[in-house]
Amino acid sequence: LFCAMARGKVASNSVTYNTVISACEKTGEWKSALQVLRLMMHDEVESNTITFTTTMSACGKGGAWKKALELFSAMVQSRVELDMISVSTAISACEHGGKWETALQLSSLMAEDQLELDAIALSAAISTCEKASQWEKALR
C-alpha cells in the first residue's frame, strides 16, 4: 500500500505518512521511519508534531539517540508545535545518550513553554543525571 502511495496511485497526506512511521516505530525500524520522513518532506507533505515525535521515538527505541535529538532540533527550527510528548521523547533520547545537560535544558524548556512535566519525562531526566553521576543536578 505504501509503495502504491509513493508511486502516486494512492492519495497521501500527513495521516498516511504518520501511520507508516508509527508502524516503523512499533516494529523497531528506525531507519525506515527516517526514510519515510525524508520521503514525506520530498513530497512536500506537511509534517507535524506527531510526525516528528513518532520518528524521534523510533530512533530512540532503536538506539539512535543522536538522530532523535537531531529531529527534535529540526522540529524546533521548523517551528513545529512542541507538546509534552515530544519533549519527553527528546528527554528519553538524552537518557540513552547520557546527555544530562540537554535533558535538564529540555526540562526547563517544558517549564518555560508551560508544558507539564510528566512522570516519564521527569524520571528520564533524573535517570540521565544519575547515570552521569550528576544526581545533585536532578534535585534542582
Side-chain angles (χ1 to χ4, degrees):
L1 182 60
F2 184 68
C3 292
M5 184 179 78
R7 289 190 302 264
K9 295 182 178 184
V10 175
S12 60
N13 58 31
S14 62
V15 174
T16 53
Y17 278 96
N18 289 344
T19 301
V20 174
I21 291 171
S22 179
C24 293
E25 181 224 6
K26 288 180 175 118
T27 58
E29 297 291 331
W30 66 271
K31 289 180 183 178
S32 296
L34 285 172
Q35 288 177 324
V36 174
L37 177 61
R38 284 189 206 103
L39 181 61
M40 184 178 187
M41 292 178 174
H42 176 267
D43 290 347
E44 298 179 354
V45 175
E46 186 176 347
S47 54
N48 56 33
T49 305
I50 295 168
T51 307
F52 280 96
T53 302
T54 307
T55 309
M56 283 191 304
S57 179
C59 291
K61 288 177 180 178
W65 59 269
K66 286 182 185 178
K67 288 287 184 195
L69 293 177
E70 287 172 14
L71 285 167
F72 184 78
S73 180
M75 185 178 182
V76 171
Q77 289 174 356
S78 299
R79 300 186 190 274
V80 174
E81 183 179 349
L82 300 177
D83 65 8
M84 179 187 61
I85 298 169
S86 59
V87 180
S88 295
T89 301
I91 291 171
S92 292
C94 292
E95 180 183 12
H96 295 294
K99 297 294 188 184
W100 65 271
E101 297 104 334
T102 305
L104 292 178
Q105 289 171 349
L106 291 172
S107 299
S108 295
L109 175 71
M110 288 182 83
E112 289 171 18
D113 287 353
Q114 298 178 348
L115 296 172
E116 186 177 325
L117 191 63
D118 69 346
I120 294 169
L122 187 58
S123 294
I126 291 170
S127 178
T128 303
C129 291
E130 182 265 329
K131 287 177 182 175
S133 298
Q134 298 291 328
W135 61 268
E136 303 93 358
K137 306 286 186 193
L139 298 176
R140 296 184 186 163

